[in-house]
Short mmCIF file of all heavy atoms in Angstrom, two decimals:
data_model
loop_
_atom_site.label_atom_id
_atom_site.label_comp_id
_atom_site.label_asym_id
_atom_site.label_seq_id
_atom_site.Cartn_x
_atom_site.Cartn_y
_atom_site.Cartn_z
N ASP A 1 0.80 -1.18 0.01
CA ASP A 1 0.02 0.00 0.00
C ASP A 1 0.84 1.28 0.02
O ASP A 1 0.57 2.28 -0.66
CB ASP A 1 -0.90 0.01 1.24
CG ASP A 1 -1.91 -1.13 1.23
OD1 ASP A 1 -2.55 -1.36 0.14
OD2 ASP A 1 -2.13 -1.76 2.25
N VAL A 2 2.00 1.23 0.71
CA VAL A 2 2.91 2.36 0.74
C VAL A 2 3.54 2.52 -0.63
O VAL A 2 3.73 3.66 -1.08
CB VAL A 2 3.96 2.13 1.87
CG1 VAL A 2 4.96 3.34 1.91
CG2 VAL A 2 3.35 2.02 3.26
N GLN A 3 3.88 1.41 -1.19
CA GLN A 3 4.55 1.47 -2.53
C GLN A 3 3.56 2.10 -3.59
O GLN A 3 3.98 2.94 -4.36
CB GLN A 3 4.91 0.05 -3.03
CG GLN A 3 5.64 0.07 -4.36
CD GLN A 3 6.05 -1.28 -4.83
OE1 GLN A 3 5.41 -1.99 -5.56
NE2 GLN A 3 7.19 -1.71 -4.28
N THR A 4 2.31 1.75 -3.52
CA THR A 4 1.29 2.35 -4.39
C THR A 4 1.23 3.86 -4.15
O THR A 4 1.17 4.63 -5.09
CB THR A 4 -0.08 1.71 -4.18
OG1 THR A 4 0.06 0.32 -4.44
CG2 THR A 4 -1.11 2.28 -5.19
N ALA A 5 1.22 4.24 -2.85
CA ALA A 5 1.25 5.72 -2.53
C ALA A 5 2.43 6.41 -3.04
O ALA A 5 2.34 7.53 -3.54
CB ALA A 5 1.15 5.80 -1.00
N VAL A 6 3.54 5.80 -2.96
CA VAL A 6 4.80 6.38 -3.49
C VAL A 6 4.72 6.59 -4.98
O VAL A 6 5.05 7.64 -5.51
CB VAL A 6 6.07 5.51 -3.12
CG1 VAL A 6 7.28 6.04 -3.84
CG2 VAL A 6 6.26 5.56 -1.63
N ARG A 7 4.24 5.64 -5.68
CA ARG A 7 4.01 5.76 -7.16
C ARG A 7 3.05 6.79 -7.57
O ARG A 7 3.17 7.40 -8.70
CB ARG A 7 3.69 4.37 -7.78
CG ARG A 7 4.82 3.32 -7.64
CD ARG A 7 4.50 2.12 -8.45
NE ARG A 7 5.47 1.03 -8.27
CZ ARG A 7 6.62 0.97 -8.87
NH1 ARG A 7 7.05 1.98 -9.69
NH2 ARG A 7 7.53 0.00 -8.64
N LEU A 8 2.06 7.03 -6.74
CA LEU A 8 1.11 8.12 -7.00
C LEU A 8 1.65 9.46 -6.71
O LEU A 8 1.37 10.39 -7.40
CB LEU A 8 -0.19 7.84 -6.16
CG LEU A 8 -1.12 6.67 -6.57
CD1 LEU A 8 -2.17 6.46 -5.54
CD2 LEU A 8 -1.70 6.96 -7.99
N ALA A 9 2.42 9.55 -5.63
CA ALA A 9 2.92 10.90 -5.18
C ALA A 9 4.20 11.36 -5.95
O ALA A 9 4.34 12.48 -6.19
CB ALA A 9 3.25 10.84 -3.68
N LEU A 10 5.12 10.41 -6.27
CA LEU A 10 6.29 10.71 -6.96
C LEU A 10 6.21 10.34 -8.45
O LEU A 10 5.34 9.56 -8.80
CB LEU A 10 7.47 10.00 -6.30
CG LEU A 10 7.66 10.18 -4.82
CD1 LEU A 10 8.87 9.44 -4.33
CD2 LEU A 10 7.72 11.62 -4.44
N THR A 11 7.15 10.83 -9.22
CA THR A 11 7.09 10.59 -10.68
C THR A 11 8.50 10.13 -11.13
O THR A 11 9.52 10.38 -10.53
CB THR A 11 6.67 11.81 -11.46
OG1 THR A 11 7.64 12.86 -11.13
CG2 THR A 11 5.28 12.24 -11.10
N GLY A 12 8.52 9.58 -12.33
CA GLY A 12 9.73 9.20 -13.03
C GLY A 12 10.80 8.52 -12.25
O GLY A 12 10.52 7.55 -11.47
N ASN A 13 12.12 8.93 -12.39
CA ASN A 13 13.18 8.22 -11.75
C ASN A 13 13.12 8.43 -10.17
O ASN A 13 13.64 7.65 -9.44
CB ASN A 13 14.48 8.78 -12.24
CG ASN A 13 14.91 8.25 -13.57
OD1 ASN A 13 14.48 7.15 -13.92
ND2 ASN A 13 15.54 9.02 -14.42
N LEU A 14 12.46 9.56 -9.77
CA LEU A 14 12.36 9.77 -8.30
C LEU A 14 11.52 8.68 -7.70
O LEU A 14 11.89 8.08 -6.63
CB LEU A 14 11.63 11.13 -8.09
CG LEU A 14 11.86 11.82 -6.80
CD1 LEU A 14 13.32 12.15 -6.57
CD2 LEU A 14 11.02 13.13 -6.67
N ALA A 15 10.45 8.25 -8.32
CA ALA A 15 9.61 7.18 -7.81
C ALA A 15 10.36 5.83 -7.96
O ALA A 15 10.36 4.98 -7.10
CB ALA A 15 8.32 7.13 -8.63
N LYS A 16 11.07 5.63 -9.11
CA LYS A 16 11.75 4.38 -9.42
C LYS A 16 12.82 4.12 -8.36
O LYS A 16 12.90 3.05 -7.77
CB LYS A 16 12.35 4.49 -10.77
CG LYS A 16 13.26 3.27 -11.21
CD LYS A 16 13.93 3.50 -12.55
CE LYS A 16 14.84 2.35 -12.78
NZ LYS A 16 15.55 2.60 -14.15
N TYR A 17 13.63 5.13 -8.09
CA TYR A 17 14.74 4.88 -7.15
C TYR A 17 14.28 4.84 -5.67
O TYR A 17 14.87 4.12 -4.87
CB TYR A 17 15.81 5.99 -7.35
CG TYR A 17 16.54 5.85 -8.71
CD1 TYR A 17 16.69 6.98 -9.52
CD2 TYR A 17 17.04 4.67 -9.16
CE1 TYR A 17 17.25 6.93 -10.78
CE2 TYR A 17 17.63 4.57 -10.35
CZ TYR A 17 17.79 5.67 -11.17
OH TYR A 17 18.37 5.58 -12.46
N ALA A 18 13.22 5.57 -5.44
CA ALA A 18 12.67 5.51 -4.06
C ALA A 18 12.12 4.14 -3.74
O ALA A 18 12.32 3.58 -2.72
CB ALA A 18 11.52 6.62 -3.86
N VAL A 19 11.40 3.59 -4.75
CA VAL A 19 10.87 2.17 -4.60
C VAL A 19 12.01 1.19 -4.50
O VAL A 19 11.97 0.29 -3.66
CB VAL A 19 9.95 1.90 -5.76
CG1 VAL A 19 9.62 0.39 -5.85
CG2 VAL A 19 8.62 2.69 -5.71
N ASN A 20 12.98 1.27 -5.37
CA ASN A 20 14.15 0.39 -5.30
C ASN A 20 14.90 0.40 -3.95
O ASN A 20 15.19 -0.65 -3.41
CB ASN A 20 15.23 0.72 -6.39
CG ASN A 20 14.71 0.38 -7.82
OD1 ASN A 20 13.70 -0.34 -7.92
ND2 ASN A 20 15.37 0.85 -8.80
N SER A 21 15.02 1.61 -3.44
CA SER A 21 15.68 1.79 -2.13
C SER A 21 14.82 1.15 -1.03
O SER A 21 15.37 0.42 -0.12
CB SER A 21 15.89 3.26 -1.84
OG SER A 21 16.40 3.51 -0.55
N ALA A 22 13.51 1.34 -1.08
CA ALA A 22 12.66 0.84 -0.04
C ALA A 22 12.58 -0.68 -0.10
O ALA A 22 12.52 -1.35 1.01
CB ALA A 22 11.27 1.41 -0.20
N VAL A 23 12.51 -1.24 -1.29
CA VAL A 23 12.47 -2.72 -1.39
C VAL A 23 13.70 -3.33 -0.79
O VAL A 23 13.61 -4.40 -0.13
CB VAL A 23 12.34 -3.11 -2.86
CG1 VAL A 23 12.58 -4.59 -3.06
CG2 VAL A 23 10.99 -2.74 -3.42
N LYS A 24 14.87 -2.78 -1.02
CA LYS A 24 16.11 -3.21 -0.43
C LYS A 24 16.13 -3.15 1.10
O LYS A 24 16.54 -4.06 1.81
CB LYS A 24 17.36 -2.42 -0.94
CG LYS A 24 17.67 -2.71 -2.45
CD LYS A 24 18.86 -1.89 -2.93
CE LYS A 24 19.15 -2.17 -4.35
NZ LYS A 24 20.25 -1.29 -4.83
N SER A 25 15.58 -2.04 1.64
CA SER A 25 15.49 -1.86 3.07
C SER A 25 14.58 -2.89 3.70
O SER A 25 14.94 -3.41 4.77
CB SER A 25 15.00 -0.45 3.36
OG SER A 25 15.94 0.56 2.97
N VAL A 26 13.48 -3.12 3.06
CA VAL A 26 12.53 -4.16 3.59
C VAL A 26 13.18 -5.52 3.55
O VAL A 26 13.04 -6.35 4.50
CB VAL A 26 11.19 -4.16 2.80
CG1 VAL A 26 10.34 -5.38 3.15
CG2 VAL A 26 10.41 -2.87 3.05
N GLN A 27 13.93 -5.80 2.48
CA GLN A 27 14.67 -7.14 2.38
C GLN A 27 15.70 -7.23 3.52
O GLN A 27 15.81 -8.32 4.12
CB GLN A 27 15.30 -7.24 1.01
CG GLN A 27 15.86 -8.59 0.68
CD GLN A 27 14.70 -9.62 0.56
OE1 GLN A 27 13.77 -9.42 -0.21
NE2 GLN A 27 14.86 -10.70 1.29
N HIS A 28 16.43 -6.21 3.73
CA HIS A 28 17.40 -6.21 4.83
C HIS A 28 16.71 -6.45 6.18
O HIS A 28 17.16 -7.30 6.98
CB HIS A 28 18.14 -4.92 4.91
CG HIS A 28 19.20 -4.63 3.85
ND1 HIS A 28 20.07 -5.63 3.44
CD2 HIS A 28 19.41 -3.52 3.03
CE1 HIS A 28 20.79 -5.11 2.45
NE2 HIS A 28 20.41 -3.83 2.26
N TYR A 29 15.61 -5.78 6.32
CA TYR A 29 14.80 -5.98 7.60
C TYR A 29 14.33 -7.35 7.78
O TYR A 29 14.44 -7.97 8.87
CB TYR A 29 13.66 -5.00 7.55
CG TYR A 29 12.72 -5.09 8.77
CD1 TYR A 29 13.09 -4.58 10.02
CD2 TYR A 29 11.51 -5.73 8.66
CE1 TYR A 29 12.26 -4.65 11.07
CE2 TYR A 29 10.65 -5.86 9.76
CZ TYR A 29 11.03 -5.31 10.99
OH TYR A 29 10.22 -5.37 12.03
N THR A 30 13.69 -8.00 6.76
CA THR A 30 13.20 -9.33 6.90
C THR A 30 14.23 -10.40 7.01
O THR A 30 13.99 -11.44 7.59
CB THR A 30 12.19 -9.63 5.71
OG1 THR A 30 12.91 -9.46 4.49
CG2 THR A 30 10.98 -8.70 5.73
N ASP A 31 15.43 -10.16 6.43
CA ASP A 31 16.55 -11.13 6.41
C ASP A 31 17.30 -11.07 7.71
O ASP A 31 18.08 -11.99 8.01
CB ASP A 31 17.41 -10.96 5.21
CG ASP A 31 16.82 -11.36 3.97
OD1 ASP A 31 15.73 -12.04 3.97
OD2 ASP A 31 17.37 -11.01 2.85
N SER A 32 17.24 -9.98 8.50
CA SER A 32 18.12 -9.75 9.63
C SER A 32 17.60 -10.44 10.88
O SER A 32 16.42 -10.81 10.92
CB SER A 32 18.20 -8.20 9.93
OG SER A 32 17.05 -7.74 10.35
N GLU A 33 18.51 -10.59 11.81
CA GLU A 33 18.13 -11.12 13.11
C GLU A 33 17.56 -10.03 13.99
O GLU A 33 17.95 -8.83 13.79
CB GLU A 33 19.40 -11.77 13.81
CG GLU A 33 19.97 -12.92 13.03
CD GLU A 33 19.10 -14.17 13.01
OE1 GLU A 33 18.26 -14.31 13.86
OE2 GLU A 33 19.20 -14.96 12.06
N THR A 34 16.79 -10.35 14.97
CA THR A 34 16.17 -9.35 15.83
C THR A 34 17.06 -8.97 16.95
O THR A 34 16.76 -7.99 17.73
CB THR A 34 14.83 -9.82 16.41
OG1 THR A 34 14.99 -11.06 17.12
CG2 THR A 34 13.81 -10.06 15.27
N GLY A 35 18.24 -9.72 17.19
CA GLY A 35 19.00 -9.52 18.33
C GLY A 35 18.56 -10.37 19.55
O GLY A 35 17.60 -11.11 19.39
N ASP A 36 19.21 -10.24 20.64
CA ASP A 36 18.82 -11.04 21.79
C ASP A 36 17.95 -10.18 22.74
O ASP A 36 17.69 -9.06 22.50
CB ASP A 36 19.99 -11.63 22.55
CG ASP A 36 21.03 -10.57 22.96
OD1 ASP A 36 20.63 -9.46 23.34
OD2 ASP A 36 22.24 -10.79 22.89
N ILE A 37 17.46 -10.79 23.81
CA ILE A 37 16.57 -10.16 24.73
C ILE A 37 17.22 -8.86 25.37
O ILE A 37 16.66 -7.78 25.54
CB ILE A 37 16.08 -11.12 25.91
CG1 ILE A 37 15.23 -12.21 25.20
CG2 ILE A 37 15.28 -10.39 26.91
CD1 ILE A 37 14.83 -13.24 26.18
N LYS A 38 18.53 -9.04 25.74
CA LYS A 38 19.27 -7.95 26.42
C LYS A 38 19.64 -6.90 25.41
O LYS A 38 19.74 -5.72 25.75
CB LYS A 38 20.54 -8.48 27.15
CG LYS A 38 20.19 -9.32 28.40
CD LYS A 38 21.45 -9.71 29.09
CE LYS A 38 21.14 -10.46 30.38
NZ LYS A 38 22.32 -10.93 31.08
N HIS A 39 19.93 -7.28 24.20
CA HIS A 39 20.42 -6.32 23.20
C HIS A 39 19.59 -6.45 21.88
O HIS A 39 20.16 -6.85 20.86
CB HIS A 39 21.88 -6.54 22.93
CG HIS A 39 22.74 -6.42 24.14
ND1 HIS A 39 23.11 -7.51 24.81
CD2 HIS A 39 23.25 -5.32 24.76
CE1 HIS A 39 23.88 -7.16 25.88
NE2 HIS A 39 24.03 -5.80 25.81
N PRO A 40 18.35 -6.09 21.96
CA PRO A 40 17.54 -6.15 20.71
C PRO A 40 17.88 -5.08 19.76
O PRO A 40 18.34 -3.95 20.10
CB PRO A 40 16.07 -5.90 21.24
CG PRO A 40 16.31 -5.10 22.49
CD PRO A 40 17.54 -5.55 23.07
N LEU A 41 17.89 -5.42 18.44
CA LEU A 41 18.19 -4.44 17.43
C LEU A 41 16.97 -3.64 17.00
O LEU A 41 15.82 -4.18 17.01
CB LEU A 41 18.66 -5.15 16.17
CG LEU A 41 20.03 -5.91 16.23
CD1 LEU A 41 20.33 -6.67 14.95
CD2 LEU A 41 21.10 -4.86 16.51
N SER A 42 17.18 -2.29 16.79
CA SER A 42 16.07 -1.47 16.41
C SER A 42 15.59 -1.89 14.98
O SER A 42 16.40 -2.43 14.20
CB SER A 42 16.44 0.01 16.48
OG SER A 42 17.36 0.29 15.46
N ARG A 43 14.39 -1.44 14.64
CA ARG A 43 13.98 -1.72 13.28
C ARG A 43 14.81 -0.99 12.23
O ARG A 43 15.07 -1.50 11.11
CB ARG A 43 12.48 -1.43 13.10
CG ARG A 43 11.56 -2.35 13.76
CD ARG A 43 10.12 -1.99 13.65
NE ARG A 43 9.80 -0.82 14.49
CZ ARG A 43 8.59 -0.26 14.57
NH1 ARG A 43 7.55 -0.74 13.77
NH2 ARG A 43 8.36 0.79 15.31
#
């Protein structure tokens, strides 16, 4: 839903690179470890 919002609000390469950057960030987030109980990693 956020991606659709970005494509509506931004145009051209601005939208393209913003989406590419966000997809990579989400991938890093889902692939990463959460850390341990004493030292949890922030999102």
Side-chain angles (χ1 to χ4, degrees):
D1 296 315
V2 180
Q3 184 177 98
T4 303
V6 171
R7 292 191 185 280
L8 287 172
L10 307 181
T11 59
N13 285 331
L14 204 59
K16 176 184 174 181
Y17 294 130
V19 167
N20 288 346
S21 176
V23 168
K24 288 179 183 177
S25 296
V26 169
Q27 191 64 52
H28 287 313
Y29 176 76
T30 54
D31 289 347
S32 68
E33 299 292 335
T34 58
D36 54 40
I37 297 175
K38 289 186 177 179
H39 303 94
L41 292 175
S42 69
R43 286 178 288 178

